[in-house]
Amino acid sequence: MSRIRFDLLSLFPEVFRPFVNASILRIAAEKQVAEYHLHDIRQYSRDKHKKVDDKPYGGGPGMVLRCEPVVSAYEDVQNMDERTGTAILLTPQGKTFQQETAKRLAREERITLLCGHYEGFDERIRDMLPLEEISIGDYVLSGGEAAAMVLIDAVVRLIPGVLGHEESTNNDSFSDGLLEYPQYTRPPEFRGLKVPDVLLSGNHKEIELWRRAQSEKRTYERRSDLWKDITQNRS
Ligand SMILES: C[S@@+](CC[C@H](N)C(=O)[O-])C[C@H]1O[C@@H](n2cnc3c(N)ncnc32)[C@H](O)[C@@H]1O
């Protein structure tokens, strides 16, 4: 069974603690398919006040994360394990995170995540370290921690053996380029709204056809971008 080591480098590593100790992430750790290591970048600052940032050259607002503590933290953490894996810099300027990215990363044996803050990183950190730059979307967060959590959650649930039913990730939205079909559970009627008859029919073939049609309808109505990709690939 595969096992992924996550190294989380941040100025606020404590925000990850409750996150990795709950729900699916916790289950993954208990099943020994994921392990989480938290590291405080500030501990690597040689400044007597443990300062990690400074004013931008050329002027302008905000503060920039300095090279020395970030590079030292990265190098020290990478040496903690013989697996190299992949190292990711969370940044709004990176390639947008997709389900395909999560699938690829779920096959890694180690993922190191570098979370920025303030105005972001001194550019030389990008020049110097072998980092893949990932964004979780076209908006700006105050720090990379929330972005790292999104990434970890999406990856961990894809590690074989983490979820009870393997097929539950196969049907998820985006897995086959489509959004997922509508889901229902008991009761069969709630305030006059009924579950579609086909789902109560017990006819698995009919249910499968209905779900496929619903997935396509949803994708067509809600995500013309995905629908375009699918129809182009078919032709
Ligand atoms: C305020 S942002 C810095 C933004 C930077 N000044 C820019 O315009 O590209 C601080 C940190 O939050 C994280 N961050 C913000 N938005 C993000 C996003 N959409 N995806 C991933 N990380 C993000 C990054 O780690 C970044 O270094």
Side-chain angles (χ1 to χ4, degrees), residues 65 89-93 114-121 126 134-145 147-148:
L65 283 171
L89 182 89
L90 279 322
T91 162
Q93 301 182 20
L114 218 50
C115 304
H117 244 274
Y118 317 123
E119 284 306 315
F121 300 91
R126 291 179 155 96
I134 291 186
S135 161
I136 61 157
D138 288 348
Y139 40 81
V140 178
L141 305 163
S142 345
E145 291 73 20

Side-chain angles (χ1 to χ4, degrees), residues 79-111:
N79 287 333
M80 288 176 184
D81 194 285
E82 61 191 11
R83 292 168 283 182
T84 316
T86 190
I88 293 168
L89 182 89
L90 279 322
T91 162
Q93 301 182 20
K95 202 153 177 227
T96 309
F97 187 68
Q98 308 273 4
Q99 188 66 12
E100 283 306 314
T101 331
K103 281 188 199 165
R104 170 170 59 82
L105 293 175
R107 294 194 289 270
E108 289 286 348
E109 47 185 16
R110 184 175 186 194
I111 299 175

Side-chain angles (χ1 to χ4, degrees), residues 13-169:
E14 68 279 8
V15 304
F16 290 109
R17 190 94 47 204
F19 175 68
V20 299
N21 277 332
S23 186
I24 299 295
L25 270 62
R26 184 193 184 96
I27 292 171
E30 285 168 358
K31 289 186 172 176
Q32 302 199 344
V33 294
E35 52 185 288
Y36 316 103
H37 300 268
L38 313 184
H39 311 280
D40 186 352
I41 295 173
R42 203 174 292 280
Q43 295 307 317
Y44 291 87
S45 171
R46 279 197 235 112
D47 179 272
K48 67 172 184 258
H49 304 295
K50 297 283 175 205
K51 211 164 139 17
V52 289
D53 55 352
D54 214 327
K55 289 183 253 164
Y57 276 122
M63 300 292 268
V64 175
L65 283 171
R66 290 192 295 114
C67 293
E68 166 252 316
V70 176
V71 172
S72 301
Y74 170 85
E75 289 173 344
D76 190 51
V77 167
Q78 283 307 94
N79 287 333
M80 288 176 184
D81 194 285
E82 61 191 11
R83 292 168 283 182
T84 316
T86 190
I88 293 168
L89 182 89
L90 279 322
T91 162
Q93 301 182 20
K95 202 153 177 227
T96 309
F97 187 68
Q98 308 273 4
Q99 188 66 12
E100 283 306 314
T101 331
K103 281 188 199 165
R104 170 170 59 82
L105 293 175
R107 294 194 289 270
E108 289 286 348
E109 47 185 16
R110 184 175 186 194
I111 299 175
T112 302
L113 296 165
L114 218 50
C115 304
H117 244 274
Y118 317 123
E119 284 306 315
F121 300 91
D122 184 308
E123 190 65 21
R124 290 165 293 181
I125 294 167
R126 291 179 155 96
D127 297 339
M128 194 173 293
L129 303 180
L131 302 168
E132 177 178 346
E133 299 191 23
I134 291 186
S135 161
I136 61 157
D138 288 348
Y139 40 81
V140 178
L141 305 163
S142 345
E145 291 73 20
M149 290 188 211
V150 167
L151 185 151
I152 298 167
D153 189 307
V155 169
V156 166
R157 64 194 301 284
L158 295 178
I159 304 173
V162 170
L163 296 184
H165 304 282
E166 288 306 319
E167 69 273 19
S168 59
T169 59

